[in-house]
Amino acid sequence: LTHRIYWKYLLLFSGSYILIFAVVGIVLYAIIIPWGMGLSMVLLGPLGVILLHLQWLLITNVAANQICHKIVLPNLNWQVYKLTVSQYDVSPSNIDMNPYVNPHLKKDSNDWWWIVGIIGWGKDRVENIVTTVISFIPIIGPLMVNVCDTNERTRKCLDPFFKEQNWSKQQIKQFEISRRADFVAFGLVSGILESIPIISIITMTSNIVAGGLWAINLFKSEEERKKE
């Protein structure tokens, strides 16, 4: 992100993030501080007040990150990804899925798509409730929320690459299973970086660039494979 070509996108995202962070922060401050001030003073005294405000800051950061991932980044990801790939001497091409195919992975049945959809919707709602509850655990709660679901965070960073390849959900799942360790490591590191309040303005954008660099390595591997 030190390269000037990214500054325009970083500035656009910074403005959006700061606005969302401020709105979410004001709302959560009005909810958390009045309810927690008395209890924190009784239990820990002045230290409790400091920890309460730190908790508010961390929860605000988590909420702002999630909103940005759903509203702001989908429109920014593709542009940053294309810009990253264009800086390297690679030719984006269709990746052969054969090296990533797991023959033991069963294909989704079209006959049960509606049941799968309902289960998926219910799973998402339960996860949202659980992560919301966890985020209120003092100090470590918001950090846990930001580093959990590492595979989903990695998929978001690689989403422009998947769309460029026009891969189906089944193909993405195959690729994820074949690179499970990479997915977990990438998502864990990016989650830790995004858990730092305010600094996440930079790290959320840099994670997209990292996804683009991963795609570049895949393109280079594909070119070498075709030469063999």
Side-chain angles (χ1 to χ4, degrees):
L1 290 181
T2 56
H3 201 294
R4 291 184 179 181
I5 59 175
Y6 294 111
W7 291 0
K8 178 180 70 174
Y9 301 100
L10 182 60
L11 183 62
L12 289 172
F13 177 70
S14 299
S16 303
Y17 178 89
I18 292 172
L19 177 61
I20 293 173
F21 188 93
V23 172
V24 172
I26 292 172
V27 172
L28 290 178
Y29 194 92
I31 297 174
I32 295 175
I33 301 303
W35 286 91
M37 185 68 74
L39 182 61
S40 60
M41 281 292 294
V42 170
L43 295 178
L44 299 172
L47 178 61
V49 176
I50 296 175
L51 292 178
L52 178 65
H53 282 79
L54 178 59
Q55 179 77 0
W56 161 75
L57 182 64
L58 292 174
I59 293 177
T60 300
N61 183 66
V62 170
N65 287 357
Q66 291 178 347
I67 293 173
C68 286
H69 272 299
K70 292 183 180 297
I71 299 177
V72 181
L73 287 181
N75 299 320
L76 195 67
N77 280 8
W78 177 254
Q79 299 176 57
V80 174
Y81 166 80
K82 294 298 291 183
L83 190 60
T84 302
V85 173
S86 67
Q87 300 306 304
Y88 292 80
D89 186 23
V90 294
S91 300
S93 57
N94 292 330
I95 303 294
D96 182 13
M97 278 298 298
N98 288 329
Y100 310 112
V101 170
N102 180 356
H104 302 293
L105 181 64
K106 296 180 179 179
K107 294 184 177 181
D108 298 331
S109 174
N110 292 331
D111 297 333
W112 301 98
W113 64 268
W114 58 277
I115 295 180
V116 174
I118 293 175
I119 294 175
W121 181 88
K123 177 175 174 289
D124 290 341
R125 302 290 81 74
V126 172
E127 287 181 353
N128 289 339
I129 294 173
V130 171
T131 53
T132 300
V133 173
I134 291 176
S135 68
F136 283 93
I137 298 175
I139 308 304
I140 64 172
L143 300 178
M144 291 172 60
V145 171
N146 238 336
V147 300
C148 71
D149 204 5
T150 55
N151 284 6
E152 179 62 25
R153 181 174 283 103
T154 303
R155 280 194 295 270
K156 289 178 180 177
C157 292
L158 287 175
D159 186 61
F161 167 74
F162 294 145
K163 289 181 177 178
E164 183 179 57
Q165 295 297 309
N166 197 27
W167 282 0
S168 65
K169 291 183 179 179
Q170 189 73 14
Q171 290 175 309
I172 294 174
K173 187 183 297 184
Q174 292 275 11
F175 178 77
E176 179 181 335
I177 291 175
S178 69
R179 298 293 186 93
R180 190 180 299 277
D182 294 336
F183 263 68
V184 173
F186 187 100
L188 185 61
V189 172
S190 61
I192 293 174
L193 293 175
E194 290 183 11
S195 66
I196 306 173
I198 308 301
I199 301 299
S200 56
I201 292 177
I202 297 175
T203 56
M204 290 179 74
T205 310
S206 65
N207 288 339
I208 304 172
V209 176
L213 295 176
W214 189 348
I216 290 170
N217 288 332
L218 292 174
F219 290 135
K220 288 182 177 179
S221 298
E222 184 71 8
E223 290 177 356
E224 292 175 359
R225 189 191 65 80
K226 290 179 178 179
K227 291 178 181 179
E228 294 177 354

